[in-house]
Amino acid sequence: MKKLVLLIAIAFLSYSDAFAQVEYKIITSVESIVPNGLGRSRIVSATEERNYKDYTSERSDDKEKDKRNKSDRSEIRVKNFEETKLLNFYNLGGIRFQNIAANDAVLSSKINTMIEEGWELAFVTSAVESEGGKGDGKGIFITRFIFKRNKQ
């Protein structure tokens, strides 16, 4: 009898996990790779939600079905967000490895806090936009940390 109760409990828990609603949260780090330390580096996290459907239109060759997106871009803007300062990769002396280590410590703290809050790191993706030639002087290293958890 005990085995049957245990088996039913395990089956119920497995069943409820299979249909759990999942939510995602994206945290973005932007680290400046502008020479001479002139850039800005931050961790950014929205504290407001947006529904992509409010800013999406469906385009078609059929003029009757074609619906142009007339939403105002300013409506998309999020005014409430967290912004955590990071250090730039470069200063006047060149690349600063201490700054990279400091940023790693701050990012680790953010990730650990998210995990303590019940989030699981699901994906990480990054990209670089580096200097495009003489006189460009622009560049960023961007990383998106995508977390997920069961909706509460």
Side-chain angles (χ1 to χ4, degrees):
M1 182 68 179
K2 289 182 184 178
K3 289 182 183 180
L4 181 61
V5 171
L6 182 61
L7 185 62
I8 291 171
I10 291 171
F12 177 75
L13 290 174
S14 298
Y15 179 78
S16 65
D17 273 352
F19 293 98
Q21 294 286 329
V22 177
E23 64 180 325
Y24 291 88
K25 183 164 183 72
I26 299 174
I27 307 299
T28 302
S29 71
V30 179
E31 296 173 277
S32 172
I33 53 176
V34 174
N36 302 323
L38 298 174
R40 296 186 311 159
S41 299
R42 302 282 190 272
I43 300 171
V44 180
S45 173
T47 57
E48 294 179 32
E49 291 187 17
R50 292 287 182 267
N51 185 341
Y52 82 96
K53 291 179 183 180
D54 295 338
Y55 315 105
T56 303
S57 60
E58 199 169 310
R59 304 303 305 256
S60 170
D61 287 342
D62 185 348
K63 292 192 187 275
E64 289 182 28
K65 292 183 180 179
D66 190 40
K67 293 188 169 87
R68 187 168 176 264
N69 188 342
K70 296 183 180 181
S71 61
D72 184 2
R73 287 183 188 202
S74 66
E75 295 171 2
I76 300 171
R77 186 162 283 117
V78 171
K79 295 181 180 170
N80 297 306
F81 62 96
E82 282 185 349
E83 181 180 66
T84 305
K85 288 186 177 183
L86 295 174
L87 299 173
N88 297 331
F89 281 175
Y90 288 98
N91 68 4
L92 289 172
I95 192 164
R96 290 286 303 202
F97 295 105
Q98 281 181 317
N99 290 5
I100 295 170
N103 289 355
D104 287 351
V106 173
L107 282 163
S108 294
S109 172
K110 178 66 175 176
I111 292 168
N112 288 333
T113 299
M114 296 287 295
I115 289 170
E116 288 170 7
E117 293 172 354
W119 294 95
E120 174 187 343
L121 183 60
F123 307 99
V124 178
T125 183
S126 62
V128 175
E129 162 49 44
S130 60
E131 186 169 341
K134 185 177 180 182
D136 182 0
K138 297 180 179 135
I140 61 169
F141 183 80
I142 185 169
T143 305
R144 289 221 159 98
F145 301 88
I146 302 168
F147 291 87
K148 70 177 185 176
R149 72 176 174 189
N150 289 338
K151 280 192 176 180
Q152 301 174 1

